[in-house]
Amino acid sequence: MAEIITVEHPEDPRLGDYTSLTDVELRRRREPAEGLFIAEGEKVVRRALAAGYRMRSMLLTPKWVEVMRDLIEAADAPVYQVDPALAEAVTGYHVHRGALASMQRKPLPDAAAVLAGAQRVAVMESVNDHTNIGAIFRSAAALGMDAVLLSPDCADPLYRRSVKVSMGAVFSVPYARLDPWPASLETLRQAGFQVLALTPSAQAEPIDRVAPHRMPRAALLLGAEGDGLSHRALAAADRLVRIPMAHDVDSLNVGAAAAVAFYAVAHGRPGE
Amino acid sequence: MAEIITVEHPEDPRLGDYTSLTDVELRRRREPAEGLFIAEGEKVVRRALAAGYRMRSMLLTPKWVEVMRDLIEAADAPVYQVDPALAEAVTGYHVHRGALASMQRKPLPDAAAVLAGAQRVAVMESVNDHTNIGAIFRSAAALGMDAVLLSPDCADPLYRRSVKVSMGAVFSVPYARLDPWPASLETLRQAGFQVLALTPSAQAEPIDRVAPHRMPRAALLLGAEGDGLSHRALAAADRLVRIPMAHDVDSLNVGAAAAVAFYAVAHGRPGE
């Protein structure tokens, strides 16, 4: 059983993992460098543990100590109990969910390992918005994508906001980085994948006609909101596909487009 | 050509349409009661005008006067020029986009009028989040839904946040309220629609098997994030449909689920 330690000073070095959580620039540098990430809220903390991440410590306001009793009993990491004002002083925001855990990152697998056995893969280029990354992982998990590959400049799936928006799907969908980009898309082809680039371009084929759900292995390449895929990424794809859209309207946002494309890749229709 | 009036006092009654824009509770009561809504940003203002909404007035910071010159010349409503600090004092926030217009609402059509000629309709129950309403309208427009119907407790599509997230799609997709709810779903059946309720329930049929794209008229009934559709709404539907999902994961968020379902309703596959 973990020790419950009441901490009363915001400068206490034992709370170092939790300082300045609202400083996105600071945290996005610090967390990967120090090998940690922050899980926020009971459900997300439980899912991180269930996915095999090791807990470094937990930060709880008193009313959450009871709710998390079973986790505290099972944990071998320190549990810091603080009052809500101290939690806010340390983290920089009012911690509504009352429970934070600092978790140890695991080494990322390489792309080839993630692809072994996978048949449906999402590949993201330059998606550097944490909310979008989280939403795409959530849809990927729900719609049965087997893995996610990320260009080097994609946002961190383990950043607090990504984790929260994904509802913990970043723990359950295996992912890896593809580097160099886009040359290492070749890894996909060597593993037998057709690489389908999703683009609103009129030259692309409608995704329903391409029928990717019939392909033995399909990788769906997605770009960022706004700019879309780079010319180099488009050139490296096997085929260009588009979601059929009504005329004269803006395209779908990247989260909606990803969900539709995952559905098209993962689900056939009867009689086909 | 509209008159450009420089206003220098935040209490000036001519700016009354723009006061306290960050007070959601106040604005959601005031705007429908006073028959106005706020369009924010050049693109959205232009789209509101293109959709036939009448401008009551415009509030611009100086650098936007040049950008909006053609609109000012065409307008017959007053244009108030204010410095950025005054804009913030009046509205309650820093107006990044520098251009706000107060627009006159139009009377909402009734449901039967909106359904005439429509083949693909989205029906929302209790979606009371402005971001979700906006995102769903954006996807509805992009994926070719002909109209949207709203239960009485859905959020206002013309609220500033809904308009912005929709990228103006709330102006282009016709919509109406259905009241009483859910009894007036009968209007849909009288117009020849099959009413398909989207639910994660295991008793529902997978939407790909139901093949709604083959139905002459299909209405897709969507509930709010979290609670989903009410029992009464489910009971009033002709069929229950679900998006096939992987086991043991949370459902899609409502925006992603709506996009997938709109795609399934709107697009067939070849050879079917």
Side-chain angles (χ1 to χ4, degrees):
Chain A
M1 163 146 178
E3 192 186 357
I4 300 182
I5 302 159
T6 300
V7 177
E8 295 182 332
H9 199 290
E11 308 287 327
D12 192 309
R14 292 172 294 184
L15 304 187
D17 282 4
Y18 305 96
T19 53
S20 306
L21 289 184
T22 54
D23 185 340
V24 181
E25 278 316 307
L26 172 70
R27 298 294 310 194
R28 83 196 313 167
R29 282 196 311 273
R30 249 197 83 181
E31 295 184 8
E34 299 180 18
L36 65 87
F37 70 92
I38 300 294
E40 180 179 25
E42 181 193 354
K43 191 184 263 189
V44 167
V45 173
R46 290 184 186 278
R47 288 185 181 177
L49 289 167
Y53 287 97
R54 191 178 69 73
M55 185 183 285
R56 292 159 62 108
S57 68
M58 199 148 48
L59 182 80
L60 300 176
T61 53
K63 73 169 184 174
W64 285 90
V65 170
E66 274 319 303
V67 178
M68 306 295 260
R69 181 61 64 184
D70 60 317
L71 288 192
I72 295 170
E73 283 176 7
D76 56 3
V79 175
Y80 303 117
Q81 178 178 299
V82 300
D83 69 34
L86 181 60
E88 183 164 349
V90 171
T91 62
Y93 71 111
H94 177 66
V95 184
H96 297 280
R97 291 165 190 240
L100 293 171
S102 174
M103 310 295 298
Q104 188 68 37
R105 289 177 186 244
K106 300 190 261 193
L108 272 194
D110 65 350
V114 159
L115 292 176
Q119 296 178 297
R120 300 287 176 258
V121 175
V123 186
M124 294 189 236
E125 183 190 50
S126 307
V127 177
N128 49 27
D129 177 276
H130 292 118
T131 303
N132 286 341
I133 283 273
I136 291 170
F137 266 88
R138 182 175 171 188
S139 292
L143 293 166
M145 301 298 282
D146 300 315
V148 171
L149 298 177
L150 305 170
S151 73
D153 56 348
C154 280
D156 178 10
L158 293 181
Y159 184 74
R160 183 170 55 101
R161 171 96 190 137
S162 315
V163 170
K164 185 171 161 184
V165 172
S166 84
M167 308 280 283
V170 292
F171 306 141
S172 57
V173 180
Y175 70 92
R177 298 264 172 192
L178 274 181
D179 195 8
W181 182 265
S184 57
L185 285 171
E186 194 52 35
T187 315
L188 282 156
R189 255 185 301 268
Q190 281 162 7
F193 282 83
Q194 278 216 56
V195 179
L196 310 174
L198 190 69
T199 164
S201 161
Q203 289 138 45
E205 304 167 86
I207 194 168
D208 47 344
R209 300 236 185 106
V210 171
H213 60 290
R214 294 199 198 128
M215 298 175 181
R217 289 191 173 74
L220 198 67
L221 188 50
L222 304 167
E225 183 87 18
D227 293 339
L229 290 168
S230 69
H231 292 295
R232 291 165 64 220
L234 289 168
D238 295 309
R239 294 171 82 166
L240 307 186
V241 299
R242 64 182 167 84
I243 296 168
M245 283 195 232
H247 299 300
D248 300 330
V249 293
D250 277 302
S251 61
L252 292 166
N253 77 42
V254 65
V260 168
F262 295 162
Y263 171 78
V265 167
H267 298 284
R269 291 230 172 87
E272 292 194 283
Chain B
M1 161 139 182
E3 191 186 356
I4 299 182
I5 303 159
T6 300
V7 177
E8 295 181 332
H9 198 288
E11 308 286 326
D12 192 309
R14 292 173 294 185
L15 305 187
D17 281 5
Y18 305 96
T19 53
S20 306
L21 289 183
T22 54
D23 185 339
V24 180
E25 279 314 309
L26 171 70
R27 297 297 308 195
R28 85 198 307 168
R29 281 196 312 272
R30 249 196 82 181
E31 294 183 7
E34 298 180 19
L36 66 88
F37 71 92
I38 300 294
E40 180 178 23
E42 180 193 355
K43 190 184 262 190
V44 166
V45 173
R46 290 185 186 278
R47 289 186 179 176
L49 289 167
Y53 287 96
R54 190 178 70 73
M55 187 183 284
R56 293 159 61 108
S57 68
M58 200 149 47
L59 182 79
L60 300 175
T61 53
K63 74 169 184 175
W64 284 90
V65 169
E66 275 318 303
V67 178
M68 305 295 259
R69 180 64 61 186
D70 60 318
L71 288 191
I72 295 170
E73 282 175 8
D76 56 4
V79 174
Y80 303 117
Q81 177 177 302
V82 299
D83 69 34
L86 181 60
E88 184 165 349
V90 171
T91 62
Y93 71 110
H94 178 66
V95 184
H96 298 279
R97 291 165 190 242
L100 293 170
S102 174
M103 311 295 296
Q104 187 70 37
R105 288 176 187 245
K106 301 191 260 193
L108 273 193
D110 64 356
V114 159
L115 292 176
Q119 296 178 297
R120 299 287 176 255
V121 175
V123 186
M124 293 190 238
E125 183 190 46
S126 308
V127 177
N128 49 27
D129 177 276
H130 292 119
T131 303
N132 286 341
I133 283 273
I136 291 171
F137 266 89
R138 181 174 172 190
S139 292
L143 293 166
M145 301 298 281
D146 300 315
V148 171
L149 297 178
L150 305 170
S151 73
D153 56 348
C154 279
D156 179 9
L158 293 181
Y159 185 74
R160 182 169 55 100
R161 172 96 191 137
S162 315
V163 170
K164 185 171 161 183
V165 172
S166 84
M167 309 278 283
V170 292
F171 307 142
S172 57
V173 180
Y175 71 92
R177 298 266 172 189
L178 273 181
D179 195 8
W181 182 265
S184 57
L185 285 171
E186 195 52 34
T187 314
L188 282 155
R189 255 185 301 267
Q190 281 163 9
F193 282 83
Q194 279 216 56
V195 179
L196 310 174
L198 190 69
T199 164
S201 161
Q203 289 137 47
E205 305 167 86
I207 194 167
D208 47 345
R209 300 234 187 109
V210 171
H213 61 289
R214 294 197 199 130
M215 297 175 182
R217 290 191 173 75
L220 199 66
L221 189 50
L222 304 166
E225 182 89 18
D227 293 339
L229 290 167
S230 69
H231 293 295
R232 291 166 64 220
L234 289 168
D238 294 310
R239 294 170 83 166
L240 308 186
V241 299
R242 64 181 167 86
I243 296 167
M245 284 194 228
H247 298 299
D248 299 329
V249 293
D250 276 303
S251 59
L252 293 165
N253 78 42
V254 64
V260 168
F262 295 163
Y263 171 79
V265 167
H267 299 283
R269 291 228 172 86
E272 293 193 284

